[in-house]
Amino acid sequence: MKTLTLIFSFFLVTSTTLSQDCSKYYPMEEGTSFQYTMTNKKGKTEGVTDYSITNVENSGGVTTATMNMKFTDEKGKEIMVSDYKISCTGGTVNIDYNSLVPSQMMKQYTDMGVEMEISGTDIELPNNLKVGQDLADANVAITIKMTGMNMTIKVDQLNRKVEKKESITTPAGTFDCFLLTQDNISETMGVKQTMQSKLWLAEGVGMVKQESYKKNGDLTNQMQLTKFNN
């Protein structure tokens, strides 16, 4: 179940970073690599995710990139590796959600008689972001089907808004960012939880930093860009 949670988290990061026009907010170029470090409310590292674009192809007006993703835990142990494809056409990015699941893990689940489906609505981040702008809602869901039981984990991202522009510094550098805020309503087997999040987004880079808060405003975790190479 921990692995499923990781996949779900990776989807949110990926969609936040890549569901944009592929020329303005993200350099969809072969060889680009970037890293995010996740910390808890006390600043203790909980894991590191490394991404790299290993191949880019252009055909018929469609750009398709192959993304490699590797997650290591706080002890440096490799937990999950996956390759998946992202395509961009007409300023819209599409993610092959099911390819986020590593093939070895998918085979393991299939051998156990478990089926898994990942679906969602791409997060829209138009090129003409401006302070005060309201953005469209989005969602993601993971459905696990097994003998005698079905389980769905889903999150709705609501009330998305561009709050302001500000400069943010992380170990990867200093970036001029838009600050976006939103409400995240998650539901697992009928149990709902509401959290707020802040996202700092820079042109040509994507997500620079993200913070999640409880409903009462207490910080729960943070993710920030710690490496970026293109």
Side-chain angles (χ1 to χ4, degrees), residues 65-189:
T66 300
M67 177 72 73
N68 177 264
M69 173 182 66
K70 180 177 71 174
F71 176 78
T72 54
D73 65 15
E74 68 281 6
K75 296 180 181 180
K77 181 181 178 181
E78 187 176 291
I79 301 299
M80 186 172 72
V81 177
S82 181
D83 288 305
Y84 56 96
K85 293 186 181 297
I86 304 157
S87 61
C88 176
T89 179
T92 300
V93 172
N94 296 309
I95 302 167
D96 182 0
Y97 304 127
N98 287 290
S99 70
L100 285 173
V101 183
S103 57
Q104 287 184 332
M105 192 179 77
M106 181 62 78
K107 182 179 185 303
Q108 180 183 6
Y109 282 148
T110 300
D111 292 344
M112 294 168 57
V114 177
E115 296 181 19
M116 186 190 313
E117 296 178 355
I118 303 177
S119 60
T121 302
D122 285 347
I123 297 176
E124 295 182 6
L125 289 169
N127 277 335
N128 58 341
L129 288 180
K130 58 184 178 180
V131 175
Q133 182 177 6
D134 292 322
L135 303 175
D137 297 339
N139 62 75
V140 59
I142 297 177
T143 301
I144 302 104
K145 300 178 181 180
M146 61 191 78
T147 304
M149 185 182 76
N150 290 344
M151 181 176 71
T152 298
I153 305 169
K154 62 181 181 179
V155 167
D156 291 316
Q157 301 178 358
L158 311 174
N159 303 318
R160 301 177 61 236
K161 186 173 183 177
V162 183
E163 294 288 346
K164 60 181 178 179
K165 293 189 72 175
E166 63 180 357
S167 178
I168 291 293
T169 298
T170 76
T174 299
F175 306 90
D176 292 325
C177 300
F178 280 104
L179 168 60
L180 281 60
T181 59
Q182 66 184 39
D183 295 328
N184 302 309
I185 302 177
S186 62
E187 182 176 352
T188 304
M189 299 184 71

Side-chain angles (χ1 to χ4, degrees), residues 20-28 32 175 201-207 228 230:
Q20 308 151 7
D21 183 278
C22 49
S23 63
K24 183 163 186 178
Y25 281 107
Y26 188 81
M28 209 167 177
T32 298
F175 306 90
L201 181 75
E203 288 188 22
V205 177
M207 189 182 82
F228 183 82
N230 64 350

